Amino acid sequence: MSGTSHFDEMTIDGSCMRLPYADYAQWFDTEKSQKLLQKSAEAEALFRRTGITFSVYEDASTDERLIPFDIVPRILSSREWTRLTRGIEQRVRAINAFLWDIYHRQEIVRAGRIPLELISSNAAFLPEMIGFTPPGRIYTHIVGTDIVRTGEDDFFVLEDNARTPSGVSYMVENRETMLHMFPELFAQIRVAPVSTYPTHLRQSLAECAPLSTEGPPVIAVLTPGVLNAAYYEHSFLADQMGAELVEGRDLSVVDGRVAMRTSQGFQPIDVLYRRVDDAFIDPLNFRADSVLGVPGLLDVYRAGNITLANAPGTGIADDKAVYSYMPEIVEFYTGERPILQNVPTWRCAEADSLAYVLEHLEELVVKEVHGSGGYGMLVGPAASRKELKRFATKLKERPDNYIAQPTLALSSVPILTEHGLAPRHVDLRPFSLVSPHRIHITPGGLTRVALEEGSLVVNSSQGGGTKDTWILED
Amino acid sequence: MLGSTAGGLLWMFRYLERSENTARLIEAGLRIALSRSADASTEWKSVVATVGALDEYNERHPNFDSASVVDFLLRDASHSHSVASVIESARSNARLVRTQLTREVWEATNQCWMSLSELLALPTSPNDLPRVLGQVRQESAYVRGALHGTMMRNDAYDFCRLGTFLERADNTARILDVKYYVLLPSAMHVGSGLDNVQWENILRSVSAQRGYRWRNPGRINPKDVAEFLILDPRLPRSLAFCFAKISANLGYLAAEYDERLASHAMAERLEASVTNRSIESVFDLGLHEFLQQSISCTQTLANQIELDYRFSV
C-alpha cells in the first residue's frame, strides 16, 4: 500500500548508496548474513538480561515483552541533523511561549490567530495554572518531537509530545547494545555519542529548580510504579541521574514542601521529574481516586516550592487540535517562518472539513484529538470497507473528537530479515531538554520502524520495533 | 535512601535466601524418602511444617507423597512459599529497588529469575530433581557473589544483609524446632530407632554436615548437633552467627546514620542470648521453648527494623 514512490534513506533507486550510508554499506557487504542474524538473536538476549522490557496485561496475567530491535542503524548526516535541530528548537521555543501566553494574557487569542474555544473548551487546559509562572518560565522541560520524512529535504512534525514523552531509554540502550555487538563499526565510523543524555537531563532539571533552592537541588523521578509500561525507563533515568525513583506512597507534603520518606526521615525535593499524568498527580486538586500522586502537591507547586517537569497543563500544547495551528503559533511567537513543516490537518469539528474527510476517508489517516500510542486511529488506505464504514459513523457522532491527515509516504530504512535487507517505514523522535539557559538536543533519537512490509504504523504497542539512530560527526 | 527502597532491598534478599533454604530442605527430604521409604510421608510432612505451609498444603493435597510435596514446594505458583513464587517476589523487589543495585547484582537476579522460570515451568521429573535443586542454589549464589563483589559497603548493603540473616536465623530455628524431639537427649531415645540418619539429615538441610564432621570427628549425637547449629559462631547458618551479623549490620547503619534506634538494643539482646552460653542451659530452659522464643524475637526485630527505617507509611 505504500506504493513504490516513497523515499528510501539508504539507497537511491534501490542501487546507489546515499552518502550517509556509504561507510556502513561498505562494512555490511563484508559481513556474512548468517552471522548478522545471529547477532540479532544476541541483541534480544542482551535486552532480556538487562530487563529492558515492558509489561502487557492479558487475562489477568502479566507478560513482559521486548520491543523488537533491528541491528541496521538509521543514519543521518550532520547537515541533515543541524537543519532538524534548528527546526525543533524553534518549535520548542514557540511551545513554551505559547503555554505561558495562554495561561496569562492569551495574546494569541486576542490577536485572532487561534479561536478562543480551542483553549477554553479544551480538556487539557488547566484553569489551576492561570496566572501562575513556573520556575524559570519553563513549561515543557523535556520534549520528544515526532518527525517523519518524505523526501531528501522534506521533514514533517507529526506530533510535539510536550507532556511526558517516553522512549529516551531506548535511544541510550540501543546504542549500548550496538557498541557491545559491533565495536569495530564505531572505530570506523564517527557517530555522535548519546550516553551523555542523563547528565544533560540532570543539569537541565537542576537549572529549572525553584529560586529558593539552597545548594545542589534534590531531584527525584516520580513513577506510577512497577506495573507501568515505561517503568524500566523511569528506573533507568533515575539510576543514571543519581536521583531517587519515587512513587506517590513515598511522598508527603511536610512543612509546605514535597518530601520523600527516606530511611532517615523526610527529605524535601526541589525538582520532581514526574512521569505521572496531570489527572493523577494530586488527588486533592485533581482526580480524588488517584493513588499515584501526592495530596497537596499542586499547592506546594503554586507556592513556588517545587519544580514539576513537565509543568501541569502542558498537555494542551500537544493536543492534536492545537497541532493544526502550530504554523501560526510558531510565527506568532518567534516572528519567523516555521523551519519544519506541519502535516496538513483537517479539523473534523469544522463542517467543511468533516465533509471532505468523510468523502476521502480511504485516503486519510484519522486520529483522536486526545489519543496516543496509535490507539483509536484509522489508516484509510489499509482499512477494510467495513472498518471505513464503522469509522464514518463514529466520526459523524463526535466530529470534534477527530482530526484527519493525508497518508504520508514515510521514508524507509532497511531492516535485516532472513532474506537480507528489506526497506521498512520509519519515524524519528529526538529529545530536547529545555532550561532557562539553553535548549539541548541530544544528537540521536528514537527511530521507530514498522516491521511489517508496507505498514505505516510504527508504534510499539502496534508491533513496531526500534533502531539505533546515528548522527554522523563531520 | 527511600524507606520503601530499604524495605525492598531487605525483602529481595530474604526471598533469595528463602529460595535456597527451601531447595536445601527438599534435598534433605529427598534423601530420607529414598533411604527409608516407610517414613517418607512423616519426613515430608515435617519439611512442609518447617516452611510454615501445612494449612496451604492440606488445602491442596490429601497425602504427603514425594511428588506432591516436591511440586508444592518447588513450582506451585498459587502458594507464596514455593521456590517459583519466592523467586518471582525476589525479582519484583529487585525491580523496585533497581536504582540501588549495581548492574551485576541486577543482572544476576534477572538471570536467576529467567532461568528458574523456564526450569520450573514444567513438572520436574525425579531424575531431574538434583540438577534443578542444584541450579536453584547456584543462581542465588551468583547474586550473593555479585553483591559481595560489586556493591558499596553502605546502607543499601546493610539492608541486603539484614534480609539474608533474618531469614536464615528464622530458617535454622524452624528446622531445629520441627525436629526438636529428635534432638532431645532423653534416655528413651538413645540407641533407639531414631538413628544417625535423622541427625545427619538436620545437618544436611543447613549444609553443615562437613563442618560438623570437622568439628566433632567420629561422633554424632544430638547434643553436639544442637550445640553446633545454635551456638557455634563459625558456622554461617548457626543462630549465633546470624544474630551476630544482624547486630553488626545494624551497628554499621547506626554509625552511618549517626542514630541508635530501638532495633539496635533488640538485636544486641538477641545476640547475647546465644553468646557464652552452654547447650546444657538451652536444654534446661527447654529446646522447644528456646527455639520458639528465638523465632518470635527474630520476627519482633524484623518488625522493629521496618518501623525504625520507615519501610512504609
Side-chain angles (χ1 to χ4, degrees):
Chain A
M1 89 190 183
S2 61
T4 50
S5 59
H6 72 271
F7 176 74
D8 188 72
E9 297 191 14
M10 189 173 191
T11 56
I12 302 167
D13 302 330
S15 53
C16 176
M17 283 299 147
R18 282 185 66 250
L19 210 50
Y21 286 83
D23 290 340
Y24 178 79
Q26 204 169 21
W27 172 87
F28 186 88
D29 284 342
T30 63
E31 294 294 306
K32 297 238 174 351
S33 63
Q34 212 46 43
K35 190 183 134 207
L36 288 172
L37 283 170
Q38 197 186 328
K39 290 272 188 186
S40 282
E42 267 173 47
E44 187 176 320
L46 263 174
F47 276 94
R48 282 224 182 266
R49 200 174 74 202
T50 317
I52 309 176
T53 55
F54 66 100
S55 309
V56 180
Y57 310 99
E58 272 166 7
D59 311 328
S61 74
T62 318
D63 192 9
E64 284 182 29
R65 295 210 190 139
L66 292 180
I67 297 183
F69 172 70
D70 177 70
I71 61 167
V72 181
R74 198 264 186 91
I75 310 176
L76 295 167
S77 69
S78 97
R79 185 191 67 82
E80 289 169 327
W81 178 249
T82 307
R83 171 148 174 265
L84 269 181
T85 51
R86 279 180 41 236
I88 294 169
E89 201 176 316
Q90 179 194 49
R91 207 155 159 125
V92 168
R93 275 188 208 293
I95 287 174
N96 265 302
F98 167 71
L99 284 163
W100 188 83
D101 186 30
I102 61 156
Y103 286 117
H104 290 81
R105 288 181 47 82
Q106 305 199 336
E107 298 287 358
I108 193 167
V109 179
R110 291 164 196 251
R113 304 292 286 271
I114 64 169
L116 178 63
E117 312 82 71
L118 186 67
I119 308 298
S120 59
S121 62
N122 195 313
F125 180 78
L126 277 193
E128 290 85 348
M129 290 295 287
I130 294 172
F132 174 73
T133 301
R137 243 203 209 206
I138 305 297
Y139 286 82
T140 175
H141 308 72
I142 298 118
V143 187
T145 313
D146 278 351
I147 290 174
V148 295
R149 184 178 198 177
T150 59
E152 187 67 54
D153 285 314
D154 301 308
F155 292 95
F156 291 86
V157 173
L158 202 57
E159 285 181 25
D160 287 292
N161 296 316
R163 50 190 112 180
T164 40
S166 62
V168 76
S169 57
Y170 288 91
M171 171 177 85
V172 180
E173 292 286 9
N174 285 354
R175 177 65 53 80
E176 289 302 313
T177 303
M178 289 294 280
L179 281 165
H180 184 87
M181 292 194 307
F182 305 109
E184 76 280 10
L185 251 180
F186 293 88
Q188 288 169 28
I189 304 175
R190 281 168 52 90
V191 181
V194 294
S195 58
T196 51
Y197 178 83
T199 313
H200 285 293
L201 174 61
R202 183 175 182 107
Q203 187 189 352
S204 190
L205 289 172
E207 287 169 359
C208 298
L211 276 177
S212 56
T213 305
E214 288 165 14
V218 175
I219 299 174
V221 179
L222 176 65
T223 174
V226 73
L227 296 177
N228 185 272
Y231 179 78
Y232 169 73
E233 178 155 305
H234 307 158
S235 81
F236 171 84
L237 290 174
D239 187 34
Q240 296 282 311
M241 284 197 290
E244 288 292 356
L245 178 67
V246 299
E247 294 182 32
R249 62 190 170 118
D250 297 314
L251 304 180
S252 297
V253 174
V254 180
D255 300 332
R257 304 283 307 273
V258 173
M260 51 188 169
R261 195 185 68 252
T262 76
S263 50
Q264 299 176 77
F266 281 100
Q267 182 184 19
I269 295 171
D270 299 304
V271 182
L272 190 62
Y273 176 20
R274 50 98 179 198
R275 298 289 297 258
V276 171
D277 291 342
D278 282 356
F280 298 97
I281 53 169
D282 181 351
L284 281 184
N285 285 287
F286 301 115
R287 277 181 62 159
D289 62 339
S290 170
V291 291
L292 305 177
V294 190
L297 172 67
L298 200 76
D299 306 314
V300 176
Y301 181 61
R302 287 185 50 93
N305 289 332
I306 191 168
T307 296
L308 295 178
N310 294 346
T314 297
I316 192 159
D318 65 12
D319 169 275
K320 291 193 178 66
V322 170
Y323 167 88
S324 61
Y325 289 96
M326 277 309 289
E328 285 87 345
I329 290 172
V330 170
E331 279 203 53
F332 187 78
Y333 297 106
T334 65
E336 302 162 4
R337 291 198 45 80
I339 298 168
L340 295 173
Q341 305 173 67
N342 230 38
V343 182
T345 304
W346 289 275
R347 299 181 276 268
C348 301
E350 296 165 10
D352 291 356
S353 297
L354 178 65
Y356 177 88
V357 170
L358 285 170
E359 204 166 304
H360 297 85
L361 208 49
E362 73 286 353
E363 303 159 16
L364 301 172
V365 176
V366 190
K367 298 174 179 173
E368 286 185 8
V369 173
H370 300 293
S372 68
Y375 291 105
M377 170 172 141
L378 175 87
V379 182
S384 69
R385 208 168 272 244
K386 220 166 124 194
E387 283 169 315
L388 287 171
K389 221 172 145 190
R390 210 172 327 134
F391 214 90
T393 319
K394 287 208 290 191
L395 255 174
K396 280 183 246 171
E397 275 167 15
R398 283 200 61 193
D400 59 332
N401 195 35
Y402 296 94
I403 54 123
Q405 294 171 338
T407 315
L408 296 181
L410 302 192
S411 62
S412 64
V413 173
I415 63 166
L416 184 69
T417 71
E418 290 192 8
H419 312 290
L421 293 179
R424 293 292 186 272
H425 296 294
V426 293
D427 77 351
L428 176 65
R429 180 180 295 174
F431 293 90
S432 312
L433 297 169
V434 189
S435 83
H437 310 308
R438 78 201 96 227
I439 295 179
H440 176 85
I441 307 177
T442 302
L446 170 67
T447 289
R448 298 186 298 176
V449 53
L451 295 175
E452 269 181 54
E453 195 175 350
S455 169
L456 292 169
V457 185
V458 296
N459 305 66
S460 56
S461 50
Q462 315 280 320
T466 70
K467 282 172 167 291
D468 188 17
T469 308
W470 291 5
I471 311 301
L472 299 181
E473 288 184 324
D474 279 337
Chain B
M1 183 195 313
L2 290 179
S4 57
T5 305
L9 289 167
L10 187 146
W11 277 102
M12 171 184 169
F13 277 85
R14 267 200 98 139
Y15 285 126
L16 281 168
E17 177 72 20
R18 195 174 288 176
S19 73
E20 197 182 334
N21 293 342
T22 304
R24 214 179 266 110
L25 275 170
I26 299 172
E27 247 168 356
L30 201 62
R31 284 190 79 87
I32 293 274
L34 291 177
S35 51
R36 299 154 51 110
S37 54
D39 284 0
S41 77
T42 321
E43 182 59 26
W44 282 127
K45 189 174 176 183
S46 77
V47 167
V48 175
T50 305
V51 301
L54 271 180
D55 291 344
E56 284 172 286
Y57 186 88
N58 286 325
E59 284 164 19
R60 291 169 178 77
H61 305 283
N63 303 311
F64 289 91
D65 59 296
S66 295
S68 303
V69 174
V70 168
D71 196 70
F72 175 76
L73 292 175
L74 207 51
R75 301 179 54 244
D76 191 342
S78 72
H79 150 229
S80 60
H81 287 70
S82 72
V83 171
S85 300
V86 159
I87 290 293
E88 184 76 40
S89 305
R91 199 255 190 177
S92 303
N93 276 284
R95 281 188 81 196
L96 279 175
V97 301
R98 187 162 169 175
T99 55
Q100 287 290 339
L101 302 173
T102 57
R103 190 165 186 126
E104 285 86 347
V105 173
W106 159 256
E107 285 187 4
T109 311
N110 197 39
Q111 177 66 44
C112 165
W113 172 78
M114 287 193 295
S115 76
L116 294 182
S117 312
E118 198 184 319
L119 204 60
L120 301 176
L122 297 170
T124 308
S125 76
N127 285 341
D128 253 356
L129 200 52
R131 186 178 64 85
V132 170
L133 294 170
Q135 190 161 349
V136 173
R137 285 198 282 141
Q138 193 173 47
E139 294 287 355
S140 107
Y142 283 147
V143 180
R144 191 163 46 234
L147 178 83
H148 289 314
T150 65
M151 290 273 287
M152 294 261 291
R153 294 320 195 243
N154 58 10
D155 47 354
Y157 183 82
D158 294 326
F159 286 115
C160 297
R161 299 296 277 164
L162 283 172
T164 302
F165 292 113
L166 284 169
E167 181 67 22
R168 192 179 291 175
D170 181 69
N171 183 254
T172 298
R174 277 173 191 282
I175 289 176
L176 284 171
D177 194 38
V178 167
K179 299 282 180 127
Y180 79 96
Y181 62 91
V182 178
L183 292 169
L184 282 181
S186 79
M188 216 177 78
H189 290 147
V190 177
S192 74
L194 290 166
D195 57 5
N196 296 358
V197 178
Q198 283 280 9
W199 304 333
E200 268 178 8
N201 197 47
I202 293 171
L203 291 170
R204 195 178 296 280
S205 56
V206 292
S207 285
Q209 65 277 43
R210 196 190 151 274
Y212 182 90
R213 281 200 301 274
W214 170 81
R215 184 182 186 266
N216 308 292
R219 82 171 189 270
I220 183 156
N221 66 58
K223 185 176 88 53
D224 288 339
V225 171
E227 184 179 21
F228 188 43
L229 263 50
I230 295 170
L231 298 176
D232 196 320
R234 298 165 300 179
L235 172 69
R237 314 197 79 85
S238 74
L239 294 186
F241 186 92
C242 294
F243 292 158
K245 280 289 181 188
I246 292 169
S247 188
N249 281 293
L250 281 170
Y252 302 144
L253 278 174
E256 188 174 342
Y257 290 176
D258 196 17
E259 190 180 26
R260 236 184 99 84
L261 301 158
S263 51
H264 297 94
M266 238 181 225
E268 283 157 15
R269 280 201 300 278
L270 202 53
E271 188 186 2
S273 75
V274 287
T275 311
N276 297 325
R277 180 163 192 176
S278 69
I279 194 67
E280 284 78 12
S281 77
V282 171
F283 280 121
D284 285 347
L285 175 71
L287 183 60
H288 177 59
E289 287 70 18
F290 172 83
L291 291 167
Q292 281 292 319
Q293 203 175 305
S294 289
I295 291 168
S296 109
C297 288
T298 307
Q299 184 55 49
T300 312
L301 175 59
N303 295 342
Q304 190 61 45
I305 291 172
E306 184 172 335
L307 280 178
D308 284 352
Y309 293 103
R310 305 169 176 87
F311 289 1
S312 50
V313 185

